[in-house]
Amino acid sequence: MKLKFTPYLCLFIFIGLMSCSKEKSAEPDNQPPEPNPAASGLLSGWRQGTTTQDDTLFTITYDDKKRIKNVNNTSDRDEFIASYDNADNLIEIAENYRGDTSEMMTFKYNANNQLIEADHHLFGHPNRFLYEYTNGVLSKKSYYTITNLNEPNTLNLWRYFTYEITNGNVTHRKEYNSAGELQAEVSYTYTTNANIFQPLSLLNYINNLGLDGVANDESLINNNMPESSSENGKKTTYTYSYNNNKQITGFLVNTPYGVFTRTLSY
């Protein structure tokens, strides 16, 4: 079955591709973000790319419970504001882009505080992701969006994904179209180091923070940092650098399409 893209689906893919447009090279960054004194020991920001003039700089602030309060793209004056429920689950992200604030995404959870639904509007059009669990472990994600331009307010199944989990990490994912035809398979391996990006996983839901691969909805459940992924024979690898406190200070992502870098500060 041949895949047909609607204009809305093309926009969704476009927003992800644009996240890496400012990458220049894979050399270490000599000017990482300034640390946030109020969040000692916590990740305070990162730089996307390597050249000070063109890079995108992100900073993080925390509330008194050490939850991420907001993430600021200081280069584009774009702020992502987080709201939580009483169980400390992220339930809403509001985007404030140059003074214009609007709801961006909402999340719902089951009684076990597991993510079961994520909703967002991309360019004013709704998208929905539903999550299913087997014996308490993520087993399926379904993606609903507008697939019929004659029904602009109706969400239809476009893709669904099934998962294999090993030692608390997603190690295999299969992607199917709405007719149940296999579209892609991805295998993952992991380092022994703890996943530090869980708090940012949902904030980077549509890769608006440029951290796809290390922070996304699937990495929300991962215990460890990714080491590699392989799809249709194309491999992506992750290489990390550390400080004396064994904190990750940066990483390189080597993909079939280029090598990208992030520099972190605390």
Side-chain angles (χ1 to χ4, degrees), residues 22-76:
K22 295 187 179 182
E23 311 269 4
K24 299 299 179 183
S25 69
E27 296 300 320
D29 194 326
N30 293 322
Q31 294 185 355
E34 290 296 322
N36 178 1
S40 178
L42 299 173
L43 180 66
S44 64
W46 67 93
R47 185 181 295 281
Q48 175 178 309
T50 62
T51 57
T52 304
Q53 294 82 359
D54 297 320
D55 289 351
T56 302
L57 175 64
F58 293 86
T59 61
I60 304 173
T61 59
Y62 296 84
D63 63 18
D64 56 2
K65 297 180 69 173
K66 295 186 178 180
R67 301 175 304 191
I68 293 177
K69 183 178 180 180
N70 52 42
V71 177
N72 287 279
N73 178 338
T74 62
S75 302
D76 291 338

Short mmCIF file of all heavy atoms in Angstrom, two decimals, residues 22-76:
data_model
loop_
_atom_site.label_atom_id
_atom_site.label_comp_id
_atom_site.label_asym_id
_atom_site.label_seq_id
_atom_site.Cartn_x
_atom_site.Cartn_y
_atom_site.Cartn_z
N LYS A 22 20.15 24.23 12.55
CA LYS A 22 21.23 25.11 12.96
C LYS A 22 22.50 24.35 13.31
O LYS A 22 23.46 24.94 13.76
CB LYS A 22 20.78 25.96 14.16
CG LYS A 22 19.64 26.90 13.81
CD LYS A 22 19.34 27.83 14.96
CE LYS A 22 18.22 28.79 14.61
NZ LYS A 22 17.93 29.73 15.68
N GLU A 23 22.52 23.03 13.11
CA GLU A 23 23.71 22.25 13.40
C GLU A 23 24.80 22.62 12.40
O GLU A 23 24.55 22.74 11.20
CB GLU A 23 23.39 20.76 13.27
CG GLU A 23 22.16 20.33 14.00
CD GLU A 23 22.45 19.87 15.40
OE1 GLU A 23 23.61 19.96 15.82
OE2 GLU A 23 21.53 19.42 16.07
N LYS A 24 26.04 22.75 12.88
CA LYS A 24 27.11 23.13 11.98
C LYS A 24 28.20 22.07 11.89
O LYS A 24 28.76 21.84 10.84
CB LYS A 24 27.73 24.46 12.42
CG LYS A 24 26.73 25.62 12.40
CD LYS A 24 26.20 25.85 11.01
CE LYS A 24 25.18 26.97 11.01
NZ LYS A 24 24.58 27.20 9.68
N SER A 25 28.59 21.47 13.01
CA SER A 25 29.66 20.48 12.99
C SER A 25 29.57 19.65 14.24
O SER A 25 28.68 19.83 15.06
CB SER A 25 31.02 21.19 12.92
OG SER A 25 31.29 21.86 14.14
N ALA A 26 30.51 18.72 14.40
CA ALA A 26 30.47 17.83 15.55
C ALA A 26 31.63 18.06 16.50
O ALA A 26 31.98 17.21 17.29
CB ALA A 26 30.49 16.37 15.07
N GLU A 27 32.28 19.21 16.41
CA GLU A 27 33.37 19.52 17.32
C GLU A 27 32.83 19.95 18.67
O GLU A 27 31.75 20.54 18.74
CB GLU A 27 34.25 20.63 16.74
CG GLU A 27 34.96 20.21 15.45
CD GLU A 27 35.86 19.03 15.65
OE1 GLU A 27 36.53 18.97 16.70
OE2 GLU A 27 35.90 18.16 14.79
N PRO A 28 33.55 19.69 19.78
CA PRO A 28 33.07 20.10 21.11
C PRO A 28 32.86 21.60 21.19
O PRO A 28 33.56 22.38 20.55
CB PRO A 28 34.21 19.65 22.03
CG PRO A 28 34.89 18.56 21.29
CD PRO A 28 34.79 18.94 19.84
N ASP A 29 31.87 21.99 21.96
CA ASP A 29 31.52 23.40 22.11
C ASP A 29 32.35 24.02 23.23
O ASP A 29 32.42 23.48 24.33
CB ASP A 29 30.03 23.50 22.46
CG ASP A 29 29.53 24.93 22.30
OD1 ASP A 29 30.29 25.87 22.54
OD2 ASP A 29 28.37 25.06 21.93
N ASN A 30 33.00 25.15 22.96
CA ASN A 30 33.83 25.80 23.96
C ASN A 30 33.06 26.77 24.85
O ASN A 30 33.60 27.28 25.81
CB ASN A 30 34.97 26.56 23.26
CG ASN A 30 35.94 25.62 22.58
OD1 ASN A 30 36.23 24.56 23.12
ND2 ASN A 30 36.43 26.01 21.41
N GLN A 31 31.80 27.03 24.52
CA GLN A 31 31.01 27.97 25.30
C GLN A 31 29.64 27.37 25.62
O GLN A 31 28.63 27.72 25.01
CB GLN A 31 30.84 29.28 24.54
CG GLN A 31 32.16 30.02 24.34
CD GLN A 31 31.95 31.37 23.70
OE1 GLN A 31 30.85 31.74 23.30
NE2 GLN A 31 33.00 32.14 23.59
N PRO A 32 29.59 26.43 26.58
CA PRO A 32 28.31 25.83 26.96
C PRO A 32 27.43 26.84 27.69
O PRO A 32 27.90 27.91 28.08
CB PRO A 32 28.73 24.69 27.90
CG PRO A 32 30.03 25.15 28.47
CD PRO A 32 30.70 25.91 27.37
N PRO A 33 26.15 26.53 27.87
CA PRO A 33 25.27 27.45 28.59
C PRO A 33 25.77 27.74 29.99
O PRO A 33 26.43 26.91 30.63
CB PRO A 33 23.95 26.68 28.64
CG PRO A 33 24.05 25.67 27.54
CD PRO A 33 25.48 25.32 27.43
N GLU A 34 25.43 28.92 30.49
CA GLU A 34 25.78 29.28 31.85
C GLU A 34 24.96 28.44 32.83
O GLU A 34 23.77 28.21 32.60
CB GLU A 34 25.52 30.76 32.09
CG GLU A 34 26.47 31.69 31.36
CD GLU A 34 27.90 31.53 31.81
OE1 GLU A 34 28.12 31.33 33.03
OE2 GLU A 34 28.80 31.58 30.96
N PRO A 35 25.54 27.98 33.94
CA PRO A 35 24.79 27.18 34.90
C PRO A 35 23.73 27.99 35.63
O PRO A 35 23.84 29.22 35.74
CB PRO A 35 25.88 26.70 35.88
CG PRO A 35 26.97 27.71 35.76
CD PRO A 35 26.95 28.15 34.32
N ASN A 36 22.73 27.31 36.10
CA ASN A 36 21.64 27.95 36.85
C ASN A 36 21.90 27.73 38.34
O ASN A 36 21.73 26.61 38.83
CB ASN A 36 20.30 27.34 36.43
CG ASN A 36 19.14 27.91 37.20
OD1 ASN A 36 19.30 28.77 38.04
ND2 ASN A 36 17.96 27.41 36.92
N PRO A 37 22.31 28.74 39.08
CA PRO A 37 22.66 28.55 40.49
C PRO A 37 21.52 27.98 41.33
O PRO A 37 21.75 27.27 42.30
CB PRO A 37 23.03 29.97 40.96
CG PRO A 37 23.34 30.71 39.71
CD PRO A 37 22.47 30.14 38.65
N ALA A 38 20.28 28.27 40.95
CA ALA A 38 19.13 27.81 41.74
C ALA A 38 18.87 26.32 41.55
O ALA A 38 18.08 25.73 42.28
CB ALA A 38 17.89 28.61 41.36
N ALA A 39 19.51 25.71 40.56
CA ALA A 39 19.25 24.31 40.28
C ALA A 39 20.55 23.51 40.36
O ALA A 39 20.90 22.75 39.49
CB ALA A 39 18.62 24.15 38.91
N SER A 40 21.31 23.71 41.43
CA SER A 40 22.61 23.06 41.60
C SER A 40 22.47 21.55 41.50
O SER A 40 21.64 20.93 42.16
CB SER A 40 23.19 23.43 42.96
OG SER A 40 24.42 22.78 43.16
N GLY A 41 23.31 20.95 40.68
CA GLY A 41 23.30 19.51 40.51
C GLY A 41 22.31 19.04 39.46
O GLY A 41 22.36 17.88 39.04
N LEU A 42 21.40 19.90 39.01
CA LEU A 42 20.44 19.55 37.99
C LEU A 42 20.89 20.10 36.64
O LEU A 42 21.61 21.09 36.58
CB LEU A 42 19.06 20.11 38.34
CG LEU A 42 18.42 19.62 39.64
CD1 LEU A 42 17.14 20.40 39.92
CD2 LEU A 42 18.13 18.12 39.58
N LEU A 43 20.44 19.48 35.58
CA LEU A 43 20.73 19.98 34.25
C LEU A 43 20.13 21.38 34.10
O LEU A 43 18.95 21.60 34.37
CB LEU A 43 20.12 19.04 33.20
CG LEU A 43 20.33 19.42 31.74
CD1 LEU A 43 21.81 19.33 31.37
CD2 LEU A 43 19.50 18.51 30.83
N SER A 44 20.95 22.34 33.70
CA SER A 44 20.48 23.72 33.60
C SER A 44 20.32 24.20 32.17
O SER A 44 19.72 25.25 31.93
CB SER A 44 21.42 24.67 34.35
OG SER A 44 22.70 24.67 33.73
N GLY A 45 20.84 23.45 31.20
CA GLY A 45 20.67 23.86 29.82
C GLY A 45 21.58 23.11 28.87
O GLY A 45 22.39 22.27 29.28
N TRP A 46 21.44 23.40 27.61
CA TRP A 46 22.30 22.79 26.61
C TRP A 46 22.36 23.67 25.37
O TRP A 46 21.53 24.54 25.16
CB TRP A 46 21.80 21.40 26.22
CG TRP A 46 20.49 21.37 25.50
CD1 TRP A 46 20.27 21.36 24.15
CD2 TRP A 46 19.19 21.38 26.10
NE1 TRP A 46 18.93 21.36 23.88
CE2 TRP A 46 18.24 21.36 25.06
CE3 TRP A 46 18.73 21.38 27.42
CZ2 TRP A 46 16.87 21.36 25.29
CZ3 TRP A 46 17.37 21.38 27.65
CH2 TRP A 46 16.45 21.36 26.60
N ARG A 47 23.40 23.45 24.61
CA ARG A 47 23.59 24.18 23.36
C ARG A 47 23.45 23.20 22.20
O ARG A 47 24.03 22.12 22.21
CB ARG A 47 24.97 24.84 23.33
CG ARG A 47 25.18 25.74 22.10
CD ARG A 47 26.58 26.36 22.12
NE ARG A 47 26.76 27.26 23.24
CZ ARG A 47 26.30 28.50 23.30
NH1 ARG A 47 25.59 28.99 22.30
NH2 ARG A 47 26.52 29.26 24.35
N GLN A 48 22.68 23.59 21.20
CA GLN A 48 22.48 22.77 20.01
C GLN A 48 23.40 23.27 18.92
O GLN A 48 23.21 24.36 18.40
CB GLN A 48 21.02 22.85 19.57
CG GLN A 48 20.71 22.14 18.26
CD GLN A 48 19.24 22.23 17.92
OE1 GLN A 48 18.39 21.92 18.75
NE2 GLN A 48 18.92 22.66 16.72
N GLY A 49 24.39 22.46 18.57
CA GLY A 49 25.37 22.87 17.58
C GLY A 49 26.69 23.23 18.22
O GLY A 49 26.95 22.90 19.38
N THR A 50 27.55 23.91 17.48
CA THR A 50 28.90 24.17 17.98
C THR A 50 29.39 25.59 17.81
O THR A 50 30.39 25.97 18.39
CB THR A 50 29.91 23.25 17.28
OG1 THR A 50 29.89 23.54 15.88
CG2 THR A 50 29.57 21.78 17.49
N THR A 51 28.75 26.39 16.98
CA THR A 51 29.23 27.75 16.75
C THR A 51 28.35 28.73 17.49
O THR A 51 27.13 28.75 17.31
CB THR A 51 29.26 28.08 15.25
OG1 THR A 51 27.95 27.92 14.72
CG2 THR A 51 30.22 27.18 14.51
N THR A 52 28.95 29.55 18.31
CA THR A 52 28.21 30.46 19.19
C THR A 52 27.24 31.36 18.43
O THR A 52 26.13 31.63 18.87
CB THR A 52 29.20 31.32 20.00
OG1 THR A 52 30.09 30.47 20.70
CG2 THR A 52 28.45 32.22 20.97
N GLN A 53 27.65 31.82 17.25
CA GLN A 53 26.82 32.78 16.52
C GLN A 53 25.52 32.15 16.01
O GLN A 53 24.49 32.82 15.93
CB GLN A 53 27.61 33.35 15.32
CG GLN A 53 28.80 34.20 15.71
CD GLN A 53 30.03 33.37 16.04
OE1 GLN A 53 30.00 32.14 15.99
NE2 GLN A 53 31.11 34.04 16.39
N ASP A 54 25.55 30.88 15.65
CA ASP A 54 24.41 30.26 14.98
C ASP A 54 23.69 29.22 15.81
O ASP A 54 22.62 28.74 15.43
CB ASP A 54 24.86 29.60 13.67
CG ASP A 54 25.41 30.61 12.68
OD1 ASP A 54 24.83 31.70 12.59
OD2 ASP A 54 26.41 30.31 12.01
N ASP A 55 24.23 28.82 16.94
CA ASP A 55 23.65 27.75 17.73
C ASP A 55 22.35 28.18 18.41
O ASP A 55 22.08 29.36 18.59
CB ASP A 55 24.61 27.29 18.83
CG ASP A 55 25.79 26.52 18.26
OD1 ASP A 55 25.76 26.22 17.06
OD2 ASP A 55 26.72 26.24 19.02
N THR A 56 21.57 27.17 18.78
CA THR A 56 20.38 27.40 19.58
C THR A 56 20.69 27.06 21.03
O THR A 56 21.20 25.97 21.32
CB THR A 56 19.21 26.54 19.08
OG1 THR A 56 18.97 26.84 17.70
CG2 THR A 56 17.95 26.80 19.88
N LEU A 57 20.41 27.98 21.93
CA LEU A 57 20.71 27.81 23.35
C LEU A 57 19.42 27.63 24.14
O LEU A 57 18.51 28.45 24.05
CB LEU A 57 21.48 29.02 23.87
CG LEU A 57 21.78 29.06 25.37
CD1 LEU A 57 22.70 27.90 25.77
CD2 LEU A 57 22.41 30.39 25.75
N PHE A 58 19.35 26.55 24.92
CA PHE A 58 18.21 26.26 25.78
C PHE A 58 18.61 26.36 27.24
O PHE A 58 19.71 25.94 27.62
CB PHE A 58 17.68 24.84 25.52
CG PHE A 58 17.08 24.64 24.16
CD1 PHE A 58 17.88 24.32 23.07
CD2 PHE A 58 15.71 24.78 23.95
CE1 PHE A 58 17.33 24.12 21.81
CE2 PHE A 58 15.15 24.59 22.70
CZ PHE A 58 15.97 24.26 21.63
N THR A 59 17.73 26.90 28.09
CA THR A 59 17.95 26.92 29.53
C THR A 59 16.73 26.34 30.23
O THR A 59 15.62 26.37 29.70
CB THR A 59 18.21 28.35 30.04
OG1 THR A 59 17.06 29.16 29.77
CG2 THR A 59 19.44 28.96 29.40
N ILE A 60 16.95 25.81 31.45
CA ILE A 60 15.89 25.17 32.22
C ILE A 60 15.76 25.86 33.57
O ILE A 60 16.77 26.18 34.21
CB ILE A 60 16.20 23.68 32.46
CG1 ILE A 60 16.42 22.95 31.14
CG2 ILE A 60 15.08 23.00 33.25
CD1 ILE A 60 16.89 21.51 31.33
N THR A 61 14.53 26.08 34.03
CA THR A 61 14.31 26.50 35.41
C THR A 61 13.41 25.47 36.08
O THR A 61 12.65 24.75 35.41
CB THR A 61 13.64 27.88 35.48
OG1 THR A 61 12.38 27.84 34.80
CG2 THR A 61 14.52 28.95 34.84
N TYR A 62 13.51 25.39 37.42
CA TYR A 62 12.81 24.36 38.20
C TYR A 62 11.94 25.01 39.26
O TYR A 62 12.22 26.13 39.72
CB TYR A 62 13.83 23.43 38.87
CG TYR A 62 14.67 22.63 37.90
CD1 TYR A 62 15.82 23.18 37.33
CD2 TYR A 62 14.32 21.32 37.55
CE1 TYR A 62 16.60 22.45 36.45
CE2 TYR A 62 15.09 20.59 36.67
CZ TYR A 62 16.23 21.16 36.12
OH TYR A 62 17.00 20.44 35.23
N ASP A 63 10.91 24.28 39.70
CA ASP A 63 10.10 24.77 40.80
C ASP A 63 10.68 24.26 42.12
O ASP A 63 11.75 23.62 42.14
CB ASP A 63 8.63 24.37 40.64
CG ASP A 63 8.41 22.86 40.65
OD1 ASP A 63 9.30 22.11 41.11
OD2 ASP A 63 7.32 22.42 40.20
N ASP A 64 10.00 24.53 43.25
CA ASP A 64 10.56 24.16 44.54
C ASP A 64 10.55 22.65 44.79
O ASP A 64 11.16 22.17 45.74
CB ASP A 64 9.82 24.88 45.68
CG ASP A 64 8.33 24.63 45.65
OD1 ASP A 64 7.85 23.86 44.79
OD2 ASP A 64 7.62 25.23 46.49
N LYS A 65 9.88 21.88 43.91
CA LYS A 65 9.90 20.42 44.02
C LYS A 65 10.90 19.81 43.04
O LYS A 65 10.92 18.60 42.83
CB LYS A 65 8.50 19.87 43.75
CG LYS A 65 7.45 20.32 44.77
CD LYS A 65 6.09 19.75 44.47
CE LYS A 65 6.03 18.25 44.70
NZ LYS A 65 4.64 17.71 44.56
N LYS A 66 11.74 20.65 42.45
CA LYS A 66 12.76 20.25 41.48
C LYS A 66 12.16 19.63 40.22
O LYS A 66 12.79 18.83 39.54
CB LYS A 66 13.79 19.30 42.11
CG LYS A 66 14.61 19.95 43.21
CD LYS A 66 15.72 19.02 43.72
CE LYS A 66 16.55 19.73 44.78
NZ LYS A 66 17.65 18.87 45.30
N ARG A 67 10.94 20.04 39.91
CA ARG A 67 10.34 19.67 38.65
C ARG A 67 10.66 20.76 37.63
O ARG A 67 10.81 21.93 38.00
CB ARG A 67 8.83 19.53 38.78
CG ARG A 67 8.38 18.49 39.81
CD ARG A 67 6.87 18.49 39.98
NE ARG A 67 6.34 19.80 40.36
CZ ARG A 67 5.09 20.02 40.77
NH1 ARG A 67 4.24 19.01 40.84
NH2 ARG A 67 4.69 21.24 41.08
N ILE A 68 10.77 20.39 36.38
CA ILE A 68 11.04 21.40 35.35
C ILE A 68 9.85 22.35 35.26
O ILE A 68 8.73 21.93 35.01
CB ILE A 68 11.32 20.75 33.99
CG1 ILE A 68 12.64 19.97 34.05
CG2 ILE A 68 11.40 21.81 32.89
CD1 ILE A 68 12.98 19.22 32.78
N LYS A 69 10.12 23.61 35.48
CA LYS A 69 9.07 24.64 35.42
C LYS A 69 8.90 25.15 33.99
O LYS A 69 7.79 25.28 33.49
CB LYS A 69 9.41 25.79 36.36
CG LYS A 69 8.37 26.88 36.43
CD LYS A 69 8.79 27.94 37.44
CE LYS A 69 7.76 29.06 37.54
NZ LYS A 69 8.19 30.09 38.52
N ASN A 70 10.02 25.45 33.37
CA ASN A 70 9.96 25.84 31.96
C ASN A 70 11.31 25.59 31.29
O ASN A 70 12.34 25.49 31.95
CB ASN A 70 9.52 27.30 31.77
CG ASN A 70 10.33 28.27 32.59
OD1 ASN A 70 11.54 28.14 32.68
ND2 ASN A 70 9.67 29.25 33.19
N VAL A 71 11.24 25.50 29.98
CA VAL A 71 12.44 25.40 29.14
C VAL A 71 12.40 26.57 28.18
O VAL A 71 11.38 26.81 27.52
CB VAL A 71 12.48 24.07 28.35
CG1 VAL A 71 13.71 24.04 27.44
CG2 VAL A 71 12.50 22.88 29.30
N ASN A 72 13.49 27.31 28.12
CA ASN A 72 13.55 28.49 27.27
C ASN A 72 14.51 28.28 26.12
O ASN A 72 15.68 27.93 26.32
CB ASN A 72 14.03 29.70 28.09
CG ASN A 72 12.98 30.21 29.04
OD1 ASN A 72 12.08 30.94 28.65
ND2 ASN A 72 13.09 29.80 30.30
N ASN A 73 13.99 28.46 24.91
CA ASN A 73 14.84 28.58 23.74
C ASN A 73 15.23 30.04 23.65
O ASN A 73 14.48 30.86 23.09
CB ASN A 73 14.08 28.12 22.50
CG ASN A 73 14.90 28.24 21.22
OD1 ASN A 73 15.86 29.00 21.15
ND2 ASN A 73 14.49 27.50 20.20
N THR A 74 16.36 30.39 24.25
CA THR A 74 16.73 31.80 24.37
C THR A 74 17.12 32.41 23.04
O THR A 74 17.09 33.63 22.88
CB THR A 74 17.87 31.98 25.38
OG1 THR A 74 19.02 31.28 24.91
CG2 THR A 74 17.48 31.43 26.75
N SER A 75 17.48 31.57 22.07
CA SER A 75 17.86 32.08 20.75
C SER A 75 16.65 32.57 19.98
O SER A 75 16.71 33.59 19.28
CB SER A 75 18.58 30.99 19.96
OG SER A 75 19.73 30.54 20.66
N ASP A 76 15.51 31.88 20.11
CA ASP A 76 14.31 32.23 19.36
C ASP A 76 13.24 32.86 20.24
O ASP A 76 12.13 33.12 19.78
CB ASP A 76 13.72 30.99 18.69
CG ASP A 76 14.60 30.47 17.57
OD1 ASP A 76 15.40 31.26 17.04
OD2 ASP A 76 14.48 29.29 17.23
#
